[in-house]
Amino acid sequence: MIKKYLFNISNLLPPSGRAEIIKEIEAGLYDYLEEHFGHGEYSDAQLEAAILSMGHPKQVADSYRGRSYALISGRYFDLYWLVLKIALVASFVGLTFAIAIGDLFNTTNQEPILLSFFIDLLSAFWDVGLNVFAVVTLIFALVQYYSPLDEEDASDVKWDEKVFHALQDYSTSVSLTDMIFEIFFTAVGIAVATTLLPNVLAGPYSRVIILSISAVFGTQILLNCYLLFKGSWQMSSRLLTVVLNVISIALGYLVFISPYGIDKDKVSDKLGERIASGVQISLVITFAILVIIILWDSYGQINRLISENKKN
Amino acid sequence: MSDLSTIIQNARQELNRGSLVLAVLTQLSEPQYGYSLIQALNGLGIEIEQNTLYPLLRRLEKQGLLESLWQVEDNRPRRYYQISEKGRMLKDALIVEWEKLTGALDKMIKGGHL
């Protein structure tokens, strides 16, 4: 019960200093219990009394946070900084990979390959990096501006047993590692899709496919940022993840298998006849692995959705 | 009427908030943990809630006015606070201000009744 209460407070606190504040509040709760009910095991009613005496999680968190009027502040700043770093590093990795492969296909280039690679990488990273910085900053500034959490005055908020039992359960919390992992690889995916795919896609729909991939990956990053803000999964976020997964499989099919996808002849010509037959098999295997990973993720989301619905 | 009681309640809160730092500093000559300090203050007639006192103690410690130490008692951690040298200097200065203010207000209030 105390764990659930502390989890709800910690969700509203900035990551820096969060652990110490939570430890302090927990110590305060046990001080209350000891003073009122002595030592030993405490009943649910006693734990509830201690929790109610401390106040609503928003009130408690507000007292520690104070109010801020900066563009990005409080609990959002650490998260903003984290997402920005991940997005920039992922863009750099993605661009390095994409430009290195792109240079292989560029037969008209007369410059030394290493020099051309570094010039391309530097200019692309300057361009992409500024865009990443602007977009991430804009998203966080908007969240900060419109966030109901900061707008709401928690001093008069209602706090009783009913409100406590309606608080979010800590078992639905998102894993920070999972989110960082997903944001990183999705950002790499965007960088690769927008830089490398224009060189290797065949057919008239290549631009539509690249735009769709960027839109799906972009939505995935926004969803992950939202989950990091909220700190927990909801039914809507699970459903959106499943929908994005289904669309990703369709796009994967278009890129790796369909005639509108990767131009196998172009790739084979460049890599040599010796491995030409291997290209087709590699694309099918890549698509199959992609489908397995996505289906496994979707299965997990649907399974949790069903068990949460049963619990409710 | 409810408007007036809200105004009075807010004004009382403002008044208490201003004197809270001094009240806390006067009670921490000896180390105390948060909840024991709440009880001490409540016993002396200063009503303060946990979610007000704990962040206040943390802020005062950050400003170097208090020193704190985590101690393990009965297998659980408890944070003890005590006034620092800087805190003592602030307390002395605030006491001088407080006496000036209460003296002046006393005169005004009594003058108002005459």
Side-chain angles (χ1 to χ4, degrees), chain A residues 17 20-21 23-25 27-32 34-36 39 50 53-56 59-60 63-64, chain B residues 33-36 39 49-52 54-59 61 68 70 73-74 76-79 81:
Chain A
E20 173 117 342
I21 292 172
K23 188 178 167 188
E24 205 168 273
I25 296 168
L29 288 170
Y30 281 106
D31 282 340
Y32 179 96
E34 199 178 296
E35 295 293 337
H36 287 80
H39 291 276
S53 79
M54 186 65 79
H56 193 287
Q59 274 178 329
V60 179
S63 328
Y64 278 98
Chain B
Y33 58 91
Y35 200 76
S36 69
Q39 287 183 315
E49 291 182 358
Q50 295 173 81
N51 62 33
T52 307
Y54 295 145
L56 174 66
L57 290 173
R58 194 179 164 79
R59 273 198 290 278
E61 196 215 3
S68 79
W70 281 100
E73 292 175 6
D74 299 328
R76 67 176 191 81
R78 185 176 258 170
R79 192 175 202 172
Y81 288 94

Side-chain angles (χ1 to χ4, degrees), chain A residues 102-113:
Chain A
D103 277 359
L104 271 178
F105 289 93
N106 188 358
T107 48
T108 57
N109 196 352
Q110 297 301 311
E111 290 173 15
I113 190 153

Side-chain angles (χ1 to χ4, degrees), chain B residues 28-99:
Chain B
L28 288 176
S29 307
E30 297 296 320
Q32 290 216 56
Y33 58 91
Y35 200 76
S36 69
L37 182 57
I38 288 177
Q39 287 183 315
L41 289 169
N42 286 350
L44 291 165
I46 305 244
E47 293 292 325
I48 185 165
E49 291 182 358
Q50 295 173 81
N51 62 33
T52 307
L53 183 70
Y54 295 145
L56 174 66
L57 290 173
R58 194 179 164 79
R59 273 198 290 278
L60 294 179
E61 196 215 3
K62 273 193 175 174
Q63 291 169 353
L65 302 168
L66 298 179
E67 287 160 355
S68 79
L69 183 69
W70 281 100
Q71 282 187 3
V72 178
E73 292 175 6
D74 299 328
N75 287 329
R76 67 176 191 81
R78 185 176 258 170
R79 192 175 202 172
Y80 280 87
Y81 288 94
Q82 190 172 13
I83 192 165
S84 67
E85 194 48 47
K86 195 175 165 187
R88 264 188 210 99
M89 287 160 71
L90 176 71
K91 184 184 81 175
D92 292 344
L94 285 179
I95 289 173
V96 172
E97 285 301 312
W98 180 259
E99 283 170 350

Side-chain angles (χ1 to χ4, degrees), chain A:
Chain A
M1 199 179 272
I2 284 182
K3 220 173 176 181
K4 173 180 168 179
Y5 178 64
L6 295 175
F7 168 71
N8 277 273
I9 296 175
S10 75
N11 268 347
L12 303 169
L13 291 170
S16 51
R18 179 189 286 166
E20 173 117 342
I21 292 172
I22 292 297
K23 188 178 167 188
E24 205 168 273
I25 296 168
E26 189 174 14
L29 288 170
Y30 281 106
D31 282 340
Y32 179 96
L33 287 164
E34 199 178 296
E35 295 293 337
H36 287 80
F37 309 113
H39 291 276
E41 290 289 308
Y42 301 110
S43 67
D44 281 357
Q46 289 169 335
L47 292 173
E48 207 167 272
I51 288 167
L52 293 177
S53 79
M54 186 65 79
H56 193 287
K58 279 182 183 169
Q59 274 178 329
V60 179
D62 272 5
S63 328
Y64 278 98
R65 277 188 307 146
R67 286 178 68 82
S68 168
Y69 298 93
L71 183 67
I72 297 163
S73 66
R75 66 186 279 240
Y76 296 128
F77 187 77
D78 289 5
L79 193 57
Y80 161 74
W81 193 231
L82 180 71
V83 171
L84 188 62
K85 279 192 282 188
I86 295 168
L88 285 174
V89 171
S91 306
F92 187 77
V93 172
L95 286 170
T96 309
F97 178 66
I99 290 170
I101 294 179
D103 277 359
L104 271 178
F105 289 93
N106 188 358
T107 48
T108 57
N109 196 352
Q110 297 301 311
E111 290 173 15
I113 190 153
L114 204 62
L115 180 68
S116 137
F117 169 75
F118 279 117
I119 290 171
D120 288 351
L121 180 61
L122 207 66
S123 61
F125 185 62
W126 177 253
D127 193 24
V128 172
L130 281 177
N131 279 320
V132 165
F133 172 74
V135 170
V136 173
T137 306
L138 186 66
I139 290 169
F140 276 81
L142 286 172
V143 169
Q144 163 102 11
Y145 188 77
Y146 289 107
S147 164
L149 183 72
D150 284 350
E151 292 293 311
E152 202 176 313
D153 181 8
S155 58
D156 295 328
V157 80
K158 196 182 165 200
W159 179 231
D160 56 21
E161 299 90 342
K162 275 186 189 168
V163 179
F164 169 63
H165 289 296
L167 287 177
Q168 177 195 321
D169 196 338
Y170 66 92
S171 62
T172 61
S173 63
V174 297
S175 153
L176 185 66
T177 325
D178 285 357
M179 289 300 112
I180 291 173
F181 186 79
E182 278 188 27
I183 291 175
F184 178 83
F185 283 102
T186 315
V188 170
I190 291 182
V192 170
T194 51
T195 318
L196 181 64
L197 286 185
N199 296 323
V200 292
L201 282 187
Y205 303 117
S206 59
R207 287 188 66 155
V208 178
I209 293 173
I210 292 166
L211 265 176
S212 308
I213 291 172
S214 302
V216 170
F217 284 178
T219 312
Q220 184 66 56
I221 288 181
L222 285 179
L223 175 64
N224 288 349
C225 289
Y226 172 76
L227 288 170
L228 280 172
F229 287 137
K230 296 292 283 184
S232 67
W233 286 92
Q234 300 85 40
M235 184 190 270
S236 53
S237 50
R238 288 199 194 284
L239 284 173
L240 182 58
T241 303
V242 174
V243 170
L244 287 175
N245 285 347
V246 172
I247 300 173
S248 298
I249 292 178
L251 287 171
Y253 173 80
L254 275 175
V255 170
F256 293 109
I257 307 291
S258 80
Y260 304 114
I262 292 174
D263 187 346
K264 287 100 186 171
D265 294 337
K266 204 173 172 182
V267 177
S268 305
D269 287 351
K270 191 69 208 169
L271 296 179
E273 288 304 319
R274 199 161 51 87
I275 51 171
S277 61
V279 170
Q280 183 76 39
I281 299 166
S282 308
L283 289 176
V284 174
I285 291 172
T286 308
F287 178 65
I289 293 169
L290 191 74
V291 170
I292 290 168
I293 293 171
I294 291 172
L295 285 179
W296 179 252
D297 184 45
S298 302
Y299 169 75
Q301 296 294 354
I302 292 167
N303 218 5
R304 269 170 250 141
L305 248 178
I306 293 167
S307 63
E308 278 164 26
N309 272 351
K310 273 184 191 166
K311 231 192 270 177
N312 294 333

